[in-house]
């Protein structure tokens, strides 16, 4: 079983819609959860992180964490074609918080 | 915000050459940096954790003698791909965390695209 699981996609949404990206993790003791965006040929860039149950909003992005279900999601409101990228979910290791486990990423296509 | 600089961004060289990649934390001190490799259309693969002033910790299957890591200061880690061969061609990315607190994210450099002819 992988530490972090994501649906590889592609997830296609029309411009202006809400994109919902999901991630599950296996270690119940994980503390911090991160969402990165990676454009093709580029390195990942941090979108946001969350470590408390519930929702955290930053502009058009909302991260949702449910530790009981070991589930973290990212909602993108008013999706734009420029949001088309691969979104990586990352979880830090309980025993060594320096070490992150990355999912394989979900490819998002926002169609004009 | 935290900035990580990686250099060079692109390297093309002949088989057998050794290539050094630098990773710098520009506005914070990083006792720990990370080196990843990513093949086309595949996920990030952690190669090693670079520790300032001590030996790097390599992930299983990564050759220590092939990928030499040096973390001589709190703002600089280097990865040297020794005697590179075409199968070493990949996208190499470093990252670093700010040391304060367990919830700090990793910040990535822009990556180095290595092509071995």
């Amino acid at each position: 079983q992988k530490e972090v699981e994501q649906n590889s996609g592609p997830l296609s949404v029309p411009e202006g819609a809400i994109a919902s990206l999901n991630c599950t993790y296996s270690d119940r003791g994980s503390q911090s959860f991160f969402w990165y965006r990676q454009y093709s040929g580029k390195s990942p860039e941090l979108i946001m992180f969350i470590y408390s149950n519930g929702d955290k909003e930053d502009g058009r992005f909302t991260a949702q964490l449910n530790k009981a279900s070991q589930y973290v999601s990212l909602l993108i409101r008013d999706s734009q074609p420029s949001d088309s990228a691969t979104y990586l979910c990352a979880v830090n290791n309980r025993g060594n918080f320096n070490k992150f486990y990355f999912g394989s990423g979900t490819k998002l296509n926002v169609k004009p | 915000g935290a900035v990580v600089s990686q250099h060079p961004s692109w390297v093309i060289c002949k088989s057998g050459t050794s290539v050094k990649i630098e990773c710098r934390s520009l506005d914070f001190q990083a006792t720990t940096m990370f080196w990843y490799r990513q093949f086309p259309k595949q996920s990030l693969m952690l190669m090693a954790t670079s520790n300032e002033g001590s030996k790097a910790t390599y992930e299983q299957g990564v050759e220590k003698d092939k990928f030499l890591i040096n973390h001589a200061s709190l703002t600089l880690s280097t990865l040297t791909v020794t005697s590179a061969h075409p199968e070493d061609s990949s996208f190499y990315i470093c990252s670093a965390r700010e040391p304060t607190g367990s919830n700090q994210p990793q910040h990535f450099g822009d990556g180095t695209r290595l092509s071995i002819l």
Side-chain angles (χ1 to χ4, degrees), chain B residues 29-49:
Chain B
Q29 294 183 330
T31 54
T32 306
M33 292 185 176
F34 307 89
W35 289 97
Y36 294 84
R37 182 167 55 182
Q38 188 174 39
F39 292 106
K41 299 188 186 301
Q42 294 189 23
S43 58
L44 286 174
M45 187 195 83
L46 179 65
M47 299 175 66
T49 301

Side-chain angles (χ1 to χ4, degrees), chain A residues 31-32 34 36 38 41-46 49 51 88 92 97-100 102-105, chain B residues 32 34 36 38 43-44 46 59 91 93 97 101-111 113:
Chain A
Q31 296 181 6
S32 304
F34 307 87
Y36 290 85
Q38 186 175 24
K42 302 294 185 181
S43 67
E45 56 179 323
L46 179 70
F49 60 93
Y51 46 83
L88 304 173
N92 73 347
F97 54 79
N98 268 324
K99 187 169 183 176
F100 284 24
F102 283 86
S104 56
Chain B
T32 306
F34 307 89
Y36 294 84
Q38 188 174 39
S43 58
L44 286 174
L46 179 65
E59 295 299 302
F91 190 40
I93 316 172
R97 289 182 69 245
S102 61
N103 296 320
Q104 293 292 338
Q106 288 187 16
H107 299 279
F108 287 89
D110 288 339
R113 196 161 300 281

Side-chain angles (χ1 to χ4, degrees), chain A residues 36 46 98 100, chain B residues 1-6 23-34 50 52 71 73-77 94-101 104-109:
Chain A
Y36 290 85
L46 179 70
N98 268 324
F100 284 24
Chain B
V3 178
V4 176
S5 173
Q6 189 172 341
C23 181
R24 294 180 185 273
S25 56
L26 296 187
D27 51 0
F28 65 100
Q29 294 183 330
T31 54
T32 306
M33 292 185 176
F34 307 89
S50 172
E52 188 269 334
H71 194 153
S73 77
L74 287 171
T75 59
L76 174 64
S77 175
C94 73
S95 73
R97 289 182 69 245
E98 292 179 83
T100 53
Q104 293 292 338
Q106 288 187 16
H107 299 279
F108 287 89

